[in-house]
Amino acid sequence: QVQLVESGGGLVQAGGSLRLSCAASGKIFTISDMAWYRQGPGHGRDLVASIGSGGTNYGDSVKGRFTISKDNAQKTVYLQMDSLKPEDTAVYYCNARGVNFDEVSFNSWGQGTQVTVSS
């Protein structure tokens, strides 16, 4: 089983910055993609950013403000969030896809971390 543990959420004023981290652990043979999603009040879960062999991908609303990066050795993905806006307020979820040592594909989610941006 693959576990994802997120950290770095909190309360910040508009225009501020936060950095989220997500560390993967367990019987991981390889990770193909890692991503951040978010779910705001009354909204579905939307892609924020992803990173993998195909490069990086960002949701339109965060392009130019958020940066995703990954430390392969530590199996950790980061999300640097700058110029935060109140509409960025949401629970942020980490996602990882890959193959474990039993040669079984996994698609795992973290427990979520709250990001609140005050105006």
Side-chain angles (χ1 to χ4, degrees), residues 4 30-35 37 95-99 105-108:
L4 300 178
T30 185
I31 297 176
S32 58
D33 301 274
M34 297 189 80
Y37 289 75
N95 173 262
R97 298 185 299 171
V99 178
S105 297
F106 65 84
N107 183 1
S108 297

Side-chain angles (χ1 to χ4, degrees), residues 15-109:
S17 298
L18 282 175
R19 188 189 194 211
L20 305 183
S21 300
C22 171
S25 63
K27 296 171 61 179
I28 300 170
F29 176 69
T30 185
I31 297 176
S32 58
D33 301 274
M34 297 189 80
W36 289 95
Y37 289 75
R38 68 185 182 187
Q39 187 166 11
H43 292 272
R45 191 171 294 190
D46 297 321
L47 176 69
V48 176
S50 65
I51 186 168
S53 57
T56 59
N57 183 45
Y58 294 92
D60 288 341
S61 63
V62 307
K63 285 180 181 177
R65 300 188 298 121
F66 291 9
T67 303
I68 190 169
S69 61
K70 188 172 65 165
D71 183 331
N72 290 325
Q74 298 298 320
K75 298 184 179 64
T76 299
V77 65
Y78 304 96
L79 185 68
Q80 178 66 40
M81 304 185 293
D82 299 317
S83 302
L84 281 160
K85 305 175 181 179
E87 50 264 44
D88 294 317
T89 295
V91 177
Y92 284 69
Y93 296 92
C94 177
N95 173 262
R97 298 185 299 171
V99 178
N100 65 21
F101 281 116
D102 296 323
E103 299 182 352
V104 175
S105 297
F106 65 84
N107 183 1
S108 297
W109 292 88

